[in-house]
Amino acid sequence: MTAWLARGARGAAVSAAAALAIALFAAGCSAQDSVQDKASPDSAPPRTSAESTRSAPGKVTLSVTPDDLRGADPCKLIDKKVLAEFGKVEYDRGISYGQCDIRLDGPGDWSVSVFVDLQSGPSDVNEGDPAPTSVLRDGVTVYESESRGGLTGDKNCTRDVMVRERTVAVAIGVYGDESGTRACPIADTAAADVIRLLKSGGLTSARHAPDSLANLDACELMKESEAARVPDIDPGEVHAEFTGQACYWGAANIDEPNLYVLFQHSDDLLEGRPLTVAGRTAAVKYRPAEEDSWLIGPSLPTCSVDVEYGEAGPTVKGQTEVVSVGVTGDSSRERLCSLAQELAPKVVARLPKP
């Protein structure tokens, strides 16, 4: 997959909980404008099922714009009552303003994780998995894919509802279905509700504060000449998230060298060695290579500097916005962390005063 790590360098989460959410959705989501997977849905012929044919006599053009979607609350794209038919629903704001994490607990001991991501195109698939299938549902293109978890064999289902063909999507991922029978019905039900909302145009604003990181573009905080300091990357190769909440120079995956700037919000204390960056509380954190972690897959060593920016809100009131500047590569720990600490102040200096 080529994703924020969809939720690459996303393995640089501020907390272990965030890393877990990232890893679960990483199997499907891609949020980079310039990255396409070998198994791109472009090559998948559209099909229509009996269900989609009945409800979709023809393709429709949605009035929702990309700017509308960027400013929307992703946790309001699926009505809680719709998912409640499957079990108890618990919403979480995820780690980025373009995401929503939902836990769904059914009768007995079963539970699944439902992830919603605003992204710039359909999700990627892991190598070896079938290419997504294009389906017309209620006049809207939806890319559908299914997979099995490598560790447990649980069923996963992804539905990408296209707001603009190939360029803007609401991605819905359902993960951890032990029964193998629930993930896809839940994903289909969630996608149908997203389509209903998109067709009505009644998106709920996330009400971002004027000085929030939600209003910034991470790609604008690093110069190409600065990115060129990182070895083994092409500083002109830039991968941007749809919402502007993450940007990568070089590769977009954690198993290849890259430099990234990432915005997150968290209620956890910063992990790592404490330091101060431009007068702000910060921490430097090193993560060694993983040959094949069940959580994030294979990865190169990474060192990041996480800097507290200001209070998050209002949708995630009480949490703290964090700017992460990370370097991933084959270099030594000292070299990676030295580069991260060299580049972090340059990024922070370009941030508006909260």
Side-chain angles (χ1 to χ4, degrees):
M1 91 80 241
T2 57
W4 185 4
L5 226 146
R7 240 107 139 115
R10 286 198 204 191
V14 169
S15 68
L20 179 57
I22 287 167
L24 288 171
F25 207 14
C29 267
S30 174
Q32 279 71 45
D33 288 330
S34 57
V35 179
Q36 291 192 2
D37 192 89
K38 291 185 293 185
S40 169
D42 279 341
S43 60
R47 68 169 172 84
T48 55
S49 63
E51 175 187 352
S52 63
T53 301
R54 287 195 300 270
S55 60
K59 198 168 184 179
V60 301
T61 300
L62 298 171
S63 60
V64 172
T65 68
D67 284 343
D68 291 337
L69 196 62
R70 285 190 185 95
D73 184 345
C75 283
K76 298 294 186 181
L77 294 176
I78 304 172
D79 194 308
K80 189 173 184 178
K81 295 178 181 178
V82 170
L83 293 178
E85 68 176 86
F86 296 98
K88 181 181 177 181
V89 184
E90 183 178 345
Y91 280 74
D92 189 355
R93 290 291 168 175
I95 61 172
S96 170
Y97 287 114
Q99 302 167 354
C100 183
D101 301 344
I102 306 168
R103 180 183 173 90
L104 190 55
D105 296 311
D109 295 330
W110 74 267
S111 67
V112 296
S113 297
V114 182
F115 296 115
V116 182
D117 236 356
L118 308 181
Q119 59 187 50
S120 53
S123 301
D124 291 343
V125 296
N126 287 331
E127 187 175 353
D129 286 340
T133 303
S134 174
V135 178
L136 203 61
R137 292 188 176 273
D138 204 12
V140 177
T141 299
V142 179
Y143 287 104
E144 302 181 349
S145 61
E146 302 175 19
S147 64
R148 292 279 180 177
L151 181 70
T152 62
D154 295 346
K155 181 77 168 286
N156 307 321
C157 269
T158 300
R159 301 291 185 257
D160 298 327
V161 180
M162 304 308 300
V163 180
R164 291 288 186 275
E165 186 64 26
R166 297 295 306 161
T167 59
V168 183
V170 177
I172 302 160
V174 182
Y175 290 83
D177 176 19
E178 295 180 358
S179 72
T181 62
R182 302 184 181 98
C184 291
I186 292 170
D188 288 336
T189 299
D193 201 50
V194 169
I195 291 171
R196 175 195 61 79
L197 187 64
L198 292 174
K199 293 183 74 172
S200 72
L203 299 182
T204 301
S205 172
R207 299 182 294 118
H208 297 307
D211 57 355
S212 171
L213 291 175
N215 304 312
L216 302 182
D217 184 345
C219 289
E220 296 180 353
L221 301 180
M222 186 75 69
K223 295 181 179 180
E224 184 174 329
S225 59
E226 295 164 349
R229 296 276 296 132
V230 178
D232 303 321
I233 73 168
D234 177 359
E237 182 182 348
V238 183
H239 308 274
E241 277 210 339
F242 169 71
T243 56
Q245 295 287 282
C247 192
Y248 312 86
W249 289 261
N253 299 319
I254 58 174
D255 58 352
E256 298 179 71
N258 63 47
L259 164 69
Y260 62 86
V261 176
L262 180 64
F263 301 153
Q264 302 178 61
H265 47 74
S266 173
D267 54 7
D268 296 327
L269 296 175
L270 296 181
E271 297 180 4
R273 176 170 56 83
L275 73 160
T276 301
V277 176
R280 300 175 185 270
T281 300
V284 58
K285 183 178 179 180
Y286 176 77
R287 188 179 61 255
E290 292 276 2
E291 289 188 7
D292 192 17
S293 165
W294 73 268
L295 183 63
I296 58 177
S299 65
L300 291 174
T302 294
C303 190
S304 65
V305 174
D306 303 329
V307 185
E308 291 186 357
Y309 177 68
E311 184 179 346
T315 56
V316 285
K317 193 172 181 61
Q319 295 194 3
T320 300
E321 294 187 329
V322 176
V323 179
S324 295
V325 181
V327 180
T328 301
D330 288 310
S331 302
S332 67
R333 174 174 182 164
E334 291 72 20
R335 178 59 174 158
L336 293 174
C337 291
S338 175
L339 282 168
Q341 291 178 83
E342 173 190 330
L343 294 172
K346 299 180 185 300
V347 169
V348 172
R350 298 183 179 110
L351 293 171
K353 302 298 180 184

